[in-house]
Amino acid sequence: MTFETTPSGSEPVQGQAARRRIPAWAWGLLVLLLGLGGTLWLADLERDRGEREARREFVKQVGYFASSLHEQLRQCEHLIRAFQSIFLSSDAVTPDEYMRAYENMQASGEVRVSLQALAYAERRVIGGREHYITTLYAPLEGNAALRGLDITRQPVNMEALRRSRDDNQVAMSPPFRLIQSRDSAGPLDGIILRLPVYRPGPIPASIEARRLDMVGSLGASFRISDLIDSIIPEASSELASVKVEDVGDGSPRLLYARRFAAVSGGVPHVVEFSFGGRTWRFSATPRAVLDGQGKWWTVLWIGAAISVLLAALAWSLVSTREQAIALGAAMSARFRASEERFRTLNELLPCLVLLVRKDDGTIVYRNAVARQKLDPHSGARGGFGTLLEIGGQDRLQAAETGSSQALEVQMRDAEGRPFWATTWISSIEIDDVPMWLLVASDTTEQRQLTERLSYQASHDPLTRLFNRREFELRAQALLSGSGRQVGALLFIDLDQFKLINDTSGHAAGDELLVRLAMLMRENLRPHDMLARLGGDEFGVLLSGVRTTEEALQAAERMRAGIETFVFTWEGRNYTISASIGVVMLRSAASLKELFAHADAACYLAKEAGRNRIHLYAEDDAAIARRMGEMEWANRIREAISDGRLLLDYQELHPLRGEGGVHIELLLRLRDEDGGEVVPGAFLPAAERYGLMPLVDRWVVETALANLDRLHPSGAALATCAINLSAASLEDPGLFERIAQLLELHRIDPRRLVFEITETVAMRDFAASSALIARLRKLGCRVALDDFGAGMSSFGYLKDLELDMVKIDGIFVQNMVSDRISRSIVRAVAEIGHEQGLQVVAEWVSSQELLDLLAGMSVDYAQGFALHRPQRVLFQRDAGA
C-alpha cells in the first residue's frame, strides 16, 4: 500500500493511529470483562425468570386447587337448584320422589360432590314462632340424626337460611359442628349450603313476598375435611403445606390444614374466593425455595466460558463484525423464546379461542382446544360461518368495537355435530384490520342435564309414560283452547291388579305395568297422549275426536287389547282386564270437573261388573248418584273442619238390668244452610270414600272430652255407647288414641260401651276379635249391634268377648204380628243370658212391645216409645 508524505514537523497519520490503537490484550480484557458482566446480568435475568416461572407454576397449581374447591361448591349449588326446581314444580314432594331424584342425580355422574347430606326442612309456625323441621334427607345411611331436626337450634345454620331466603341465592354458613358428629370433641367439622323453597309457581320478586311464600329450605352439608381432601392429592412434590381459612367475619377461622413436608422458607401463595356470602382463603407453601431450579448457575458457567472464548477471539480478531452479529443473534433467539412461551400459555387455556376477520370470516388463529374441537378445514376464507348454526353469525353483529358480550350459540364440531357454547365476543382491531376475538365454553353437558331433569319431571320412571302432572297440563291446555270441542278423555283402571301384586310380588306388578304401557301405546294414534296417573290407573287424551262413537271405539280397542293380553311370570300365566270411563272434553268446564266425571264413569264401569266401558252423560242417573256421593265426601270434610257435626243421645231404659242413666250417641250433620241432615244421607258416602275413621275419631274425641256434659245427669251418667265402623277396626292408632283420651280426661273406662255391628264383626272376624279384646282389657265394654241382621250363627256369641248384645230392631218391631220374630228375640235373650251378656232391644215403638220384652227377660229397651233423641248438653249450650 502507498502512503503519502506529511509536512515537516508533523507525524505520519498511521503513526498517530498506531499510538492511539488499543492493544489486542486490552480488547481481549475488555471483551472478557464485558462478557463476564453480561454473563452476570444474563444469569441474574435467568434466575429471575426461573423464579418467576417456578412461582407461576406454583401459583397456577394453588389456583387450580382453589378453583377446584370453588367448583365443588358450585356443583353443589347446581344440585340444590335442581332440587329447588322439583319443589317449585310440585305441590308436594314425597320421600320416595325425593330419594329417587337424589339417586338419579348421583347415578347420572353429572354432579359429583362430597356431600354429607342433602336435607329439606319444612317451615312451620309453632306457638307464633317460625321453626324449620327437617322432614326429608338423603342419603339415609349415617344421617338418622337429621330426622326432625329444628334448624332454629343451630344459629349459624339459621343465619344462612335467612340470607338465602331473602335473595334466593345460595348461602353458605360459617363452620359449625354437624349434628351427625355432635358427640365428638374435635374442631368444628362442617358447613352447610342453603337455598330456599317457595310455593310452587314463579319465584317472588320482593323480599317481603319471598318471606311470605317460603315453605321450606334445602341444605347441603359437608364435612370440611372430606370436601377439601377430594380436590387435594394424597402426596405432592410441589407443596409443603396447605391451609384453608374462613375470613368472612373479618377474623380468620381455620377450616383445614395439611402438611406434606417440612417448610423450607418459601413464600406462600394465597387465593381468596367468595361463595354463598362467605369468603375463604386458600394458602399454600412451596416444598422448596423457588429459585429457578439452579438453571442460572448453568447460564453463569456457560457465560463465563463464552466470555473467555470471546476474549480469546477478541485477542485475535479485534472489533470483528462477526462477533457482534453472533451476539445479536443470540439475544434475538432469547426474545423469540419469550414470545413462544407467551403463546404456549394461550394454547393451554381450556376454552376455545378464535381470532376471526370480520370482512370475510377467515379464522386467523385458534388455540389447541379449538383445533381439536372444530373442523380443521374451517380456517379457509369464510370458514367461520360454517362453524355456526343458522342465525348464529347474525347475532355477532351486536358485538360493538371494544365491547364484550356473552351469547348462547350453537356451533358445529369437527364431525359436523352441533353443540351449545357460551361465547364471549369482543370486537378488536389488529394492524387496522377489524376482527372478532371469540372465547367459547362448551355447555352441552349442562343443557343435557337440564333436559334430563325436565324429562324426569314430566314422565313416570317405571313405564316411561307421561306422569299425572304433565297429563293434567295437556288436558288443561285442551280445555282452554279449541281442542275442547274435539277431544275426549279415557280413564283406565286395571281390574284385580292387586291380586297379581299379592300373589307374585311387586316386581311382577311393575313388569306387568311396563308391558301394558307398551300394549296400550300400540292401540293409540301417534298424536294421542297416554299417561300413568298413579298406581294401576292410566289416562288417555284423544285429540280430534268429535263424536262419542269415536271415543267409545277407541276405548273398546283399548279394553279388548288389555283383555286378550296374557302376562307370563315365572311360569304362571295371568289375564287382566280394565274398566274404562269415557268423558268428552266439552262435557266439563274445568280440569277438576273433567277428572271427577271420568272417575265417576270409571267407578260405574267397575260397579257394573268390571271389564266394561261407561260413557259419562249429564242425564245419567247413576253418574248423578256417584257425583252426589263425591260431593257429600267433600261436604263431610268441610263439616268436620267447620265444626258442623252434631251429637244426639237416646236413652236406654232398664227393664230388669242395673239402674242409672244409659245413652247411645247418634251422629247428625248441619248443612251449609243450617238445616239438619240425618246419617242415612251422608254416612254411605263417608263409608265409600274412606272417611269413617275420621268421623269415628271425631265422635270418640268429642264424646270423651265432654263425657260429663253429654246428658243432664252430668257425672252421674252410667254408660255412654259409641258406634265404631268397619273401617275403624283397621285403624292401627284408634286403640292407642282411646287409651290416651281415657288417661287425659281421667274417665272410668267402665262408663264407655263401644258398639260394633254384627255384619262388621263377621266381615273381619280376626280384626274384630283383636280390637274387642284390647278394649275390654282396657276396662271398656263392647256391644254387638244389630244382632240377627247378618243371620250369623249363634256360635259367634261364644267366640267373641262381649258384654252386651243388641237385637236388630227389625225383629223387635214385628214381634206383635210375627211369632217367628218373637221367637228369635226370645232365643237371643236366652242365649245372651246364658253367655252372661246383657240384652238390649232396639226400635221399641209401643207399650205393647215393651210388655212383651219385659216378659222375655230383656235387660234394656231403646226406642221412640221410651225416649226421642235429643241434642247433647254441651252443644245445646253452644247453640248447635
Side-chain angles (χ1 to χ4, degrees), residues 44-54 56 292 295 341:
D44 186 62
L45 287 179
E46 179 62 25
R47 183 176 62 182
D48 291 343
R49 186 202 64 77
E51 290 178 354
R52 289 196 302 272
E53 188 71 20
R56 183 161 52 248
K295 292 182 180 180
R341 284 194 295 271

Side-chain angles (χ1 to χ4, degrees), residues 250-464:
S251 59
R253 294 192 198 176
L254 181 63
L255 301 177
Y256 178 89
R258 184 174 175 185
R259 174 169 293 186
F260 297 96
V263 178
S264 62
V267 178
H269 180 66
V270 177
V271 177
E272 289 189 359
F273 63 88
S274 297
F275 184 85
R278 307 292 303 177
T279 300
W280 281 13
R281 177 184 296 159
F282 187 103
S283 62
T285 304
R287 185 180 287 267
V289 177
L290 303 176
D291 61 354
Q293 300 178 349
K295 292 182 180 180
W296 65 277
W297 281 101
T298 303
V299 173
L300 184 61
W301 284 107
I302 293 175
I306 291 175
S307 299
V308 172
L309 292 175
L310 289 177
L313 185 59
W315 185 273
S316 60
L317 300 172
V318 179
S319 301
T320 60
R321 187 168 177 265
E322 291 75 7
Q323 183 181 6
I325 294 174
L327 183 59
M331 296 299 296
S332 178
R334 289 189 178 276
F335 283 116
R336 284 196 301 271
S338 178
E339 181 183 357
E340 184 63 27
R341 284 194 295 271
F342 176 78
R343 293 175 63 87
T344 301
L345 288 176
N346 194 43
E347 290 290 300
L348 294 177
L349 287 176
C351 301
L352 288 81
V353 180
L354 299 175
L355 194 59
V356 184
R357 292 177 63 102
K358 281 188 178 182
D359 53 2
D360 58 7
T362 301
I363 300 176
V364 299
Y365 169 76
R366 50 186 168 180
N367 68 346
V369 175
R371 290 195 298 273
Q372 181 182 8
K373 182 78 173 176
L374 305 177
D375 183 1
H377 303 295
S378 59
R381 184 181 181 88
F384 182 60
T386 65
L387 299 178
L388 302 175
E389 290 292 294
I390 296 176
Q393 192 165 2
D394 295 339
R395 300 177 64 189
L396 300 182
Q397 303 301 327
E400 300 177 356
T401 302
S403 66
S404 179
Q405 300 184 10
L407 302 175
E408 287 286 334
V409 298
Q410 203 169 15
M411 305 179 72
R412 299 187 187 93
D413 62 14
E415 298 179 5
R417 296 174 302 189
F419 68 93
W420 283 96
T422 300
T423 307
W424 290 267
I425 302 172
S426 289
S427 181
I428 62 174
E429 287 190 4
I430 298 178
D431 295 335
D432 297 327
V433 178
M435 294 189 181
W436 279 313
L437 176 60
L438 182 144
V439 179
S441 177
D442 189 348
T443 59
T444 303
E445 292 184 356
Q446 181 179 350
R447 278 180 168 265
Q448 289 173 347
L449 176 60
T450 302
E451 292 170 0
R452 187 177 298 113
L453 289 174
S454 176
Y455 178 86
Q456 292 173 352
S458 61
H459 286 74
D460 174 54
L462 176 64
T463 61
R464 304 290 182 180

